[in-house]
Amino acid sequence: ENIMVQALALTVRSMREHPKKPLVQEYGCGTMYNIVLSTPAMCGAVCEEGGVQMALDAMRAHPLATGTQLNACSLLKVLSENGKGLGLLEQGGARALFTAAISNHMYNRELVEMAQLALKYMPAAQEGGGA
């Protein structure tokens, strides 16, 4: 698990240092996704290290980068199943980002399905609160 913690820290650092590079963001989200799939206990560590915010920022910065969107949605879908992750997703405006990913990549079935699955965990939008 110590290796996973180190890999996570390096991944988040790399994403922070290269926010304008979609491939760094894509691979960073993919790495975090693989970390939480291989070691589910790492979900909390990803949340604590800022992984949710990094993935949301990557989605915001690169809305048309399919790989970035897919890997971020995949990671965030897994983290949305965790109470802490879900709260961070709500605070970060994930619902709008998932909806935008679906709209921007409507012909990419895998991405659309992952974004739709992630949306299922999000609470319903508040009435009267705008989009």
Side-chain angles (χ1 to χ4, degrees), residues 8-9 18 22-23 29 35 38 40 43 47 60 77 80-81 83 89 91 93-94 96-98 100 105 111 121:
L8 175 60
H18 304 283
L23 278 178
C29 289
I35 286 171
S38 68
C43 283
C47 292
R60 243 180 233 104
K77 183 262 177 198
S80 68
E81 298 169 354
L89 286 166
Q91 292 170 12
L97 292 171
F98 294 142
H105 302 275
L111 174 50
Y121 287 95

Side-chain angles (χ1 to χ4, degrees), residues 45-93:
V46 169
C47 292
E48 290 169 16
E49 282 287 327
V52 170
Q53 191 60 50
M54 293 307 309
L56 293 172
D57 289 347
M59 290 182 76
R60 243 180 233 104
H62 307 287
L64 301 179
T66 304
T68 301
Q69 295 292 312
L70 176 60
N71 286 353
C73 283
S74 298
L75 169 65
L76 296 173
K77 183 262 177 198
V78 173
L79 295 176
S80 68
E81 298 169 354
N82 169 300
K84 183 174 186 177
L86 183 57
L88 292 171
L89 286 166
E90 287 180 73
Q91 292 170 12

